[in-house]
């Protein structure tokens, strides 16, 4: 059976020249490509999506104009022997795959495809004969509509020079190229900027009467650490002994230094800080010991632009570190610090660092809104007075400690209509944050989620990777935020509720992706003496 314009034997030779040998997968792939083409309207300009990196992409490249290099073929490694051809403008097309149910009549192909026997035991001639006879009958084909994200070609946009290796790369990859980020397949592929010494050290006795180039630190273990000499300070004869006691037998002085094309650590740190600090962040200038520390200007939620922080730290010779993001911080408390690592950095690195920081502030502190909280307690046993409610005082204490007020509380049975009515009552009482309690597990009587949906719940996220408090629910009803607290909060002092509440009050839009970050650090150790938030939970 022919494969396009080729006989089977001719295509085997084409495959050998292109692929290195006539692989069975490539031969079957030839039939798959030609069969898919038959199901497209004539003269269709099509692209291809291939779901494996093994053999099948080469069949597409041999028999069509689509290739990996021109971007008309995308390889998505799903591990399935399938491909789709589709109209590059509309996304309408067909998907063809090897149908395992159709392999029963072709035992040699089945044994090869499903790895049922070692390669050395396979009968190659018989395998090729079965492939030639079977042709596309091994496959099933279905119409598909390609998602917009996979259509079109991503063109290389802005090009820059990597400050680490000095090679050109697409700026969309980050502050430095992906090779220098560590993705090269060979050893030693990441290189820092090669710098010549741009300063000259002099003997400490010869430094008398000259000006210190940088802060020099004195350390007394367990007692003191700080700048003993400041940049710009004149060194006197009386300083020689102190410098030697500090282990300084040579020092850098300004009049002996030539730093053309370089930026001093203090100048760099000051420029970085000006761009890093957003609302609610303050810092003291000038830098001390080459670094600047950031503090919270007021109490609130400490927020970090993690993408910018990562890209900045990818650059050589600079650093910035911080506390964990999305935690409550008090006024005046330190939250982050930055500096240039060597005494001088190159102007190229300096400019690249500033370009990373020009997008948005890196750090901010977001004040918490003083929400009017409505507490909805669900549970027939509580509603009927069979047990005393303990949830209202627990939730009230948590929200009031963050400056909120409880507008109203309602107790309803495990009935979705009653729950829906309870929500509406809390909204009438002015609640802009509704906290529901219990009724979120797998028990048949649990009706909280159904009642919230009837009340108009939208943008719902249910379940978080944290313990305790996995069955947390987030969403909105009208103008009010909704947090569904699982029943475990009756037993555990701290749960996932305590992690998300400050973020909700700070006005953060929490996505599923952000919730997944709770997985690392989301296991509470249930310490006998709880020190939250001064503990690893949620960090």
């Amino acid at each position: 059976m022919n494969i396009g314009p080729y006989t089977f034997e001719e295509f085997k030779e084409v495959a050998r020249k292109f692929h290195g040998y006539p692989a069975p997968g490539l031969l079957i792939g030839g039939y798959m490509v030609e069969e898919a083409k038959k199901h497209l309207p004539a003269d269709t300009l099509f692209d291809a999506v291939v779901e494996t990196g093994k053999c099948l992409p080469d069949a597409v490249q041999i028999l069509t104009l689509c290739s990996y290099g021109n971007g008309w073929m995308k390889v998505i490694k799903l591990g399935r022997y399938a491909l789709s051809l589709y109209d590059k403008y509309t996304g309408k097309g067909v998907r063809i795959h090897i149908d395992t149910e159709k392999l029963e009549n072709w035992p040699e192909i089945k044994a090869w495809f499903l790895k049922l026997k070692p390669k050395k035991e396979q009968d190659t001639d018989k395998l090729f004969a079965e492939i030639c006879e079977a042709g596309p009958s091994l496959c099933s084909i279905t119409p598909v509509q390609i998602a917009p994200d996979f259509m079109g070609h991503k063109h290389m946009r802005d090009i820059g020079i990597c400050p680490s290796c000095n090679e050109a790369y697409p700026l969309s990859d980050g502050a430095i190229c992906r090779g220098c980020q560590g993705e090269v397949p060979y050893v030693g592929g990441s290189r820092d900027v090669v710098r010549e010494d741009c300063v000259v050290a002099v003997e400490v006795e010869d430094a008398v009467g000259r000006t210190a180039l940088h802060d020099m630190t004195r350390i007394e273990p367990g007692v003191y650490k700080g700048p003993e000499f400041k940049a710009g300070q004149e060194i006197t004869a009386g300083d020689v002994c102190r410098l030697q006691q500090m282990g300084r037998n040579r020092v850098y002085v300004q009049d002996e230094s030539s730093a053309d094309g370089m930026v001093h650590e203090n100048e760099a740190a000051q420029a970085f800080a000006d761009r890093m600090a957003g609302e609610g962040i303050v810092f003291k200038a000038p830098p001390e010991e080459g670094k600047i520390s950031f503090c919270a200007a007021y109490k609130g939620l400490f927020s970090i632009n993690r993408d910018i922080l990562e890209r900045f730290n990818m650059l050589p010779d600079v650093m910035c570190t911080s506390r964990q993001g999305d935690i409550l911080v008090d006024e005046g408390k330190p939250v982050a610090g930055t500096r240039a690592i060597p005494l001088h950095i190159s102007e190229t690195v300096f400019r690249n660092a500033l370009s990373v920081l020009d997008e948005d502030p890196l750090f901010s502190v977001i004040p918490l809104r003083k929400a009017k909280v409505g507490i909805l307690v669900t549970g027939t046993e509580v509603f009927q007075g069979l047990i005393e409610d303990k949830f209202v005082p627990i939730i009230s204490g948590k929200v009031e400690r963050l400056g909120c007020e409880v507008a109203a509380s309602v107790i309803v049975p495990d009935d979705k209509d009653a729950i829906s009515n309870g929500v509406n009552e809390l909204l009438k009482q002015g609640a802009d944050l509704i906290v529901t309690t219990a009724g979120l597990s797998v028990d048949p009587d649990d009706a909280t989620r159904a009642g919230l949906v009837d009340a108009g719940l939208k943008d719902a996220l249910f379940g978080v990777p944290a313990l305790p408090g996995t069955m947390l629910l987030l969403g909105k009803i009208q103008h009010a935020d909704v947090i569904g607290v699982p029943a475990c909060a009756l037993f555990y002092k701290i749960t996932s509720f305590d992690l998300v509440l400050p973020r909700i009050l700070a006005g953060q839009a929490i996505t599923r992706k952000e919730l997944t970050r709770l997985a690392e650090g989301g296991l509470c150790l249930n310490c006998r003496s709880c020190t939250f938030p001064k503990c690893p939970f949620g960090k």
Side-chain angles (χ1 to χ4, degrees):
M1 187 180 299
N2 285 2
I3 301 176
Y6 306 102
T7 67
F8 185 75
E9 292 301 320
E10 288 172 342
F11 191 74
K12 281 174 62 179
E13 181 61 19
V14 171
R16 185 189 65 78
K17 292 180 178 178
F18 188 89
H19 190 75
Y21 66 101
L26 178 49
L27 302 179
I28 295 174
Y31 287 119
M32 294 172 68
V33 172
E34 289 300 319
E35 186 66 17
K37 286 164 64 177
K38 292 177 184 177
H39 286 74
L40 295 178
D43 300 323
T44 298
L45 293 175
F46 60 84
D47 283 355
V49 171
V50 185
E51 299 179 25
T52 176
K54 302 287 185 66
C55 298
L56 196 52
D58 282 359
V60 174
Q61 294 183 108
I62 290 173
L63 294 168
T64 76
L65 296 177
C66 303
S67 74
Y68 192 83
N70 65 21
W72 298 353
M73 178 184 71
K74 296 179 177 66
V75 178
I76 312 297
K77 295 183 179 180
L78 303 180
R80 304 189 296 194
Y81 214 77
L83 66 90
S84 299
L85 302 183
Y86 59 93
D87 187 306
K88 65 171 58 190
Y89 300 111
T90 67
K92 291 183 178 180
V94 293
R95 178 182 184 269
I96 186 168
H97 71 282
I98 293 180
D99 191 333
T100 55
E101 293 183 357
K102 297 181 179 182
L103 296 180
E104 296 303 323
N105 295 328
W106 313 102
E108 202 65 32
I109 296 177
K110 180 179 178 180
W112 161 80
F113 186 66
L114 299 180
K115 309 295 185 192
L116 299 181
K117 64 167 96 172
K119 189 173 183 178
K120 64 181 179 180
E121 296 180 11
Q122 294 174 7
D123 187 331
T124 303
D125 292 337
K126 186 176 180 181
L127 176 59
F128 284 164
E130 284 191 5
I131 292 172
C132 180
E133 185 179 354
S137 67
L138 298 168
C139 304
S140 289
I141 192 163
T142 54
V144 292
Q145 174 67 51
I146 299 298
D149 290 348
F150 287 98
M151 295 175 60
H153 310 136
K154 293 183 179 179
H155 300 286
M156 192 176 293
R157 297 187 181 274
D158 295 336
I159 302 298
I161 304 300
C162 174
S164 184
C165 65
N166 209 36
E167 294 186 34
Y169 79 108
L171 290 175
S172 59
D173 285 347
I176 60 177
C177 73
R178 292 174 62 183
C180 290
Q181 291 177 30
E183 297 186 31
V184 292
Y186 45 85
V187 176
S190 179
R191 304 191 298 272
D192 282 349
V193 175
V194 177
R195 301 185 307 275
E196 299 294 336
D197 290 337
C198 61
V199 289
V200 177
V202 299
E203 297 295 327
V204 66
E205 295 87 350
D206 298 330
V208 175
R210 299 182 179 181
T211 303
L213 184 59
H214 63 103
D215 291 358
M216 289 178 277
T217 303
R218 177 172 64 87
I219 298 175
E220 293 183 30
V223 178
Y224 173 82
K225 178 186 179 296
E228 186 76 2
F229 295 88
K230 303 283 289 184
Q233 178 178 336
E234 182 178 329
I235 298 172
T236 66
D239 296 327
V240 173
C241 183
R242 279 197 299 157
L243 285 166
Q244 291 173 334
Q245 290 174 341
M246 292 164 53
R248 309 274 181 163
N249 295 311
R250 296 190 302 160
V251 296
Y252 292 127
V253 292
Q254 289 183 359
D255 55 350
E256 293 289 343
S257 303
S258 175
D260 292 340
M262 306 297 283
V263 179
H264 189 271
E265 60 176 356
N266 286 352
E267 180 185 350
Q270 180 71 56
F272 298 159
D274 289 338
R275 289 162 173 78
M276 290 176 175
E279 293 292 327
I281 298 292
V282 294
F283 61 89
K284 181 182 178 182
E288 286 193 356
E289 301 174 277
K291 66 178 181 288
I292 280 183
S293 297
F294 302 93
C295 295
Y298 43 74
K299 184 174 182 177
L301 189 79
F302 179 50
S303 178
I304 301 172
N305 189 318
R306 291 180 174 87
D307 178 61
I308 294 179
L309 180 62
E310 180 178 312
R311 290 167 57 198
F312 181 83
N313 281 305
M314 282 287 188
L315 289 167
D317 296 338
V318 298
M319 63 77 65
C320 181
T321 189
S322 74
R323 298 179 63 178
Q324 181 78 19
D326 301 321
I327 62 170
L328 287 174
V329 292
D330 292 324
E331 179 181 351
K333 293 296 184 180
V335 294
T338 187
R339 68 170 301 154
I341 296 173
L343 183 55
H344 291 87
I345 62 175
S346 73
E347 288 183 347
T348 301
V349 170
F350 180 67
R351 287 194 302 269
N352 278 278
L354 295 184
S355 70
V356 170
L357 299 173
D358 274 344
E359 298 179 14
D360 291 296
L362 181 49
F363 304 118
S364 62
V365 174
I366 307 171
L368 306 186
R369 66 183 175 93
K370 300 184 183 300
K372 294 184 176 181
V373 181
I375 303 174
L376 180 67
V377 179
T378 66
T380 302
E381 69 282 9
V382 182
F383 178 76
Q384 293 178 346
L386 299 177
I387 64 171
E388 179 185 357
D389 169 63
K390 298 292 181 66
F391 254 125
V392 170
I394 290 174
I395 301 300
S396 297
K398 290 178 183 289
V399 299
E400 287 171 355
R401 280 194 291 272
L402 296 180
C404 303
E405 67 171 282
V406 177
S409 62
V410 177
I411 300 176
V412 297
D414 290 313
D415 176 81
K416 68 176 184 176
D417 292 333
I419 292 170
S420 179
N421 293 334
V423 170
N424 291 328
E425 177 61 29
L426 293 174
L427 292 173
K428 290 178 182 178
Q429 295 291 329
D432 55 26
L433 170 59
I434 295 175
V435 179
T436 72
T437 63
L440 294 170
S441 72
V442 296
D443 294 337
D445 291 332
D446 291 338
T448 300
R449 276 189 289 166
L452 293 174
V453 170
D454 282 358
L457 180 69
K458 58 184 180 180
D459 301 330
L461 295 172
F462 179 63
V464 298
L467 288 171
T470 296
M471 294 182 180
L472 188 82
L473 181 143
L474 301 176
K476 291 188 76 72
I477 296 178
Q478 298 180 26
H479 64 282
D481 293 302
V482 176
I483 306 177
V485 181
C488 65
L490 280 173
F491 179 77
Y492 295 104
K493 183 177 181 180
I494 300 298
T495 70
S496 59
F497 174 64
D498 300 273
L499 301 180
V500 302
L501 178 60
R503 298 176 65 174
I504 295 294
L505 296 177
Q508 287 190 341
I510 300 178
T511 65
R512 171 59 64 187
K513 182 176 181 179
E514 288 166 332
L515 286 179
T516 62
R517 295 194 180 112
L518 294 178
E520 183 178 2
L523 178 64
C524 178
L525 300 179
N526 301 315
C527 302
R528 180 174 298 179
S529 178
C530 179
T531 60
F532 181 85
K534 297 178 181 179
C535 74
F537 184 51
K539 298 180 178 64

